[in-house]
């Protein structure tokens, strides 16, 4: 389906970005084809003949002769000297690495850190992600029958990661695929097909209302203390706990564009963020629809009664977003996405600014599908597409 590319991951229509020394590195990668159901050519505004995911495997037979340390040295070298994989992510949105000697959470952590990105701290997490290795946690522990539709990671809060690594430890025999779709292509199609909706998003942004509770709200969800309570200590009284939680919220740096309200004697906290749903990709200034709007709509339809939706999103002026626009976003997404069929040991890497992911239900036991996730920051938050001060999002403050 797609062109065969060289071991240095050089595109047939791209000039070489590797010098001779880099080409003679310890380990090289070869691009290979996936079934049409798992890989597709991206539409505009992507360059012609751009596939997602770009599938890569080591340029050797099998894995018995591959040493993880050699893989890590090579990835570090190519990233430090040329930013090779970062450039490929900016073009393809998603990379697949297959056939690497990665066997557990520790191995996946070492591989992910080799790319040189800064680990992302999730502020206001809405799912339960217990730490398994440095910057490695379960991707999502929601029940196996729950659909998690295509979305960018953390679109409901101001502080989102730029890069996501998914490592498959165990793959189910049927179902459990991870969707891949382009946020750039989604914006391009939506701008053509529902321009009035894109115009309102650009003018108003979105109001994202996220509910947190002291108790877990649904299976696989987080608690209020998991979201904002990292500095709370045993013995802290109620007022001290509230102060420490509000100090974490202040780290978003959003001022009047993030507000909150306590209720039920401090058992529930509702945060309201005014955010840009449209961002721009660094380097190209192409517009990307950085959102979970289609996911909130689709998840509510499919998972009705089985999973509480803790996030509500409106236009930035507080008016409701018509369902016809959400349905149209889901229609486009269905047309432009592929479902990655996992093989044990696979690693998917997403540029979260321009690529959306999700999770399909699966048959069998809950434990039949085990995927670990690592989240990382880029050098800066992707630029906003809009003139209002609410459209400007920056890295969260240290704390």
């Amino acid at each position: 389906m797609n062109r065969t590319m060289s071991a240095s991951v050089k595109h047939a229509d791209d000039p070489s970005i590797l010098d001779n020394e880099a080409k003679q590195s310890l380990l090289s990668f070869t691009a290979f084809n996936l079934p049409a159901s798992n890989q597709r050519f991206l539409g505009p505004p992507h360059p012609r003949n751009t596939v997602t995911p770009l599938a890569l495997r080591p340029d050797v037979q099998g894995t018995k002769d591959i040493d993880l340390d050699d893989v890590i040295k090579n990835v570090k070298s190519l990233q430090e000297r040329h930013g090779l994989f970062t450039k490929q992510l900016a073009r393809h949105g998603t990379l697949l690495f297959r056939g690497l000697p990665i066997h557990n959470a520790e191995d996946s952590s070492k591989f992910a850190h080799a790319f040189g990105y800064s680990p992302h701290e999730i502020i206001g997490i809405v799912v339960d992600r217990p730490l398994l290795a440095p910057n490695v946690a379960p991707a999502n522990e929601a029940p196996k029958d729950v659909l998690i539709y295509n979305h960018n990671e953390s679109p409901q809060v101001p502080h989102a990661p730029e890069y996501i690594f998914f490592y498959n430890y165990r793959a189910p025999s049927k179902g459990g695929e991870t969707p891949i779709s382009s946020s750039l292509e989604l914006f391009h199609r939506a701008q053509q097909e529902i321009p009035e909706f894109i115009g309102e998003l650009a003018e108003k942004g979105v109001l994202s209302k996220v509910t947190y509770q002291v108790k877990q709200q649904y299976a696989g969800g987080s608690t209020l203390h998991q979201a904002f309570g990292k500095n709370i200590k045993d013995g802290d009284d109620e007022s001290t706990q509230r102060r420490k939680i509000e100090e974490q919220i202040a780290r978003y740096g959003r001022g009047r564009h993030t507000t909150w309200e306590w209720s039920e004697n401090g058992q529930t906290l509702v945060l309201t963020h005014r955010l840009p749903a449209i961002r721009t990709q660094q380097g190209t200034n192409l517009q990307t629809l950085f959102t979970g709007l289609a996911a909130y709509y689709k998840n509510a339809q499919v998972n009705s009664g089985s999973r509480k939706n803790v996030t509500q999103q409106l236009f930035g002026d507080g008016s409701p977003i018509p369902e016809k626009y959400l349905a149209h976003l889901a229609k486009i997404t269905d047309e432009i996405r592929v479902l990655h069929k996992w093989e044990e040991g696979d690693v998917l890497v997403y540029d979260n600014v321009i690529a959306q992911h999700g999770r399909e239900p699966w048959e069998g036991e809950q434990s039949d599908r085990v995927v670990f996730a690592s989240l990382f920051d880029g050098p800066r938050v992707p630029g906003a597409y809009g003139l209002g001060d609410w459209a400007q999002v920056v890295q969260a403050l240290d704390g």
Side-chain angles (χ1 to χ4, degrees), residues 91-274:
R91 176 180 174 127
H92 297 269
T94 308
L95 307 181
L96 165 66
F97 291 89
R98 178 168 286 173
L100 296 180
I102 299 175
H103 305 295
N104 51 47
E106 287 287 345
D107 289 347
S108 69
S109 175
K110 293 175 183 177
F111 177 72
H113 281 84
F115 286 69
Y117 305 133
S118 299
H120 174 77
E121 178 191 357
I122 308 176
I123 306 171
I125 188 170
V126 296
V127 295
D128 183 18
R129 283 182 172 156
L131 195 66
L132 304 174
N135 201 30
V136 176
N140 195 301
E141 296 194 311
K144 63 184 178 67
D145 58 340
V146 171
L147 170 72
I148 302 173
Y149 195 67
N150 290 50
H151 63 282
N152 302 90
E153 181 63 31
S154 302
Q156 77 277 25
V157 296
H159 183 58
E162 183 159 356
Y163 300 106
I164 310 170
F165 290 71
F166 290 121
Y167 161 68
N168 183 266
Y169 179 74
R170 186 177 298 127
S173 57
K174 187 172 183 179
E177 298 90 351
T178 291
I180 299 170
S181 59
S182 166
S183 302
L184 294 174
E185 193 173 358
L186 179 62
F187 176 87
H188 182 83
R189 286 277 304 272
Q191 191 176 44
Q192 290 184 324
E193 297 172 22
I194 41 175
E196 68 281 8
F197 173 56
I198 294 300
E200 286 201 73
L201 279 184
E203 178 186 352
K204 302 174 182 178
V206 295
L207 278 188
S208 177
K209 293 180 176 289
V210 189
T211 299
Y212 301 90
Q213 292 184 348
V214 171
K215 294 182 179 180
Q216 189 182 55
Q217 300 180 74
Y218 59 87
S222 68
T223 66
L224 174 59
H225 285 191
Q226 287 171 326
F228 297 110
K230 75 170 191 173
N231 291 332
I232 291 176
K233 298 178 180 179
D234 291 341
D236 283 347
D237 59 24
E238 183 178 333
S239 62
T240 301
Q241 291 185 36
R242 283 200 186 193
R243 175 178 58 80
K244 289 184 175 181
I245 288 170
E246 291 174 357
E247 286 173 350
Q248 290 299 306
I249 296 171
R251 293 176 58 201
Y252 285 136
R254 298 287 293 157
R256 64 190 177 91
H257 300 304
T258 289
T259 59
W260 60 90
E261 181 179 0
W262 293 93
S263 63
E264 300 179 358
N265 295 320
Q267 299 299 297
T268 298
L269 176 68
V270 178
L271 264 67
T272 301
H273 310 281
R274 189 175 183 185

Side-chain angles (χ1 to χ4, degrees), residues 323-355:
E323 184 174 307
K324 65 179 181 179
Y325 294 139
L326 304 179
H328 201 107
L329 288 182
K331 172 182 176 295
I332 296 172
T333 301
D334 284 341
E335 294 171 357
I336 67 174
R337 73 177 191 158
V338 294
L339 300 179
H340 176 68
K341 177 66 176 176
W342 286 105
E343 291 188 9
E344 290 185 4
D346 281 357
V347 178
L348 280 179
V349 188
Y350 284 76
D351 183 329
N352 187 46
V353 178
I354 64 168

Side-chain angles (χ1 to χ4, degrees), residues 79-99:
Q79 280 289 85
E80 290 171 358
R81 293 170 55 81
H82 309 282
L84 175 65
F85 296 110
T86 299
K87 291 176 181 177
Q88 299 299 329
L89 281 166
R91 176 180 174 127
H92 297 269
T94 308
L95 307 181
L96 165 66
F97 291 89
R98 178 168 286 173

Side-chain angles (χ1 to χ4, degrees), residues 54-74:
L54 175 62
L56 304 170
R57 59 189 171 199
D59 195 17
V60 294
Q61 295 299 317
T63 61
K64 62 181 181 180
D65 296 324
I66 305 173
D67 184 85
L68 182 58
D69 288 340
D70 287 344
V71 174
I72 289 170
K73 288 177 184 177
N74 187 62

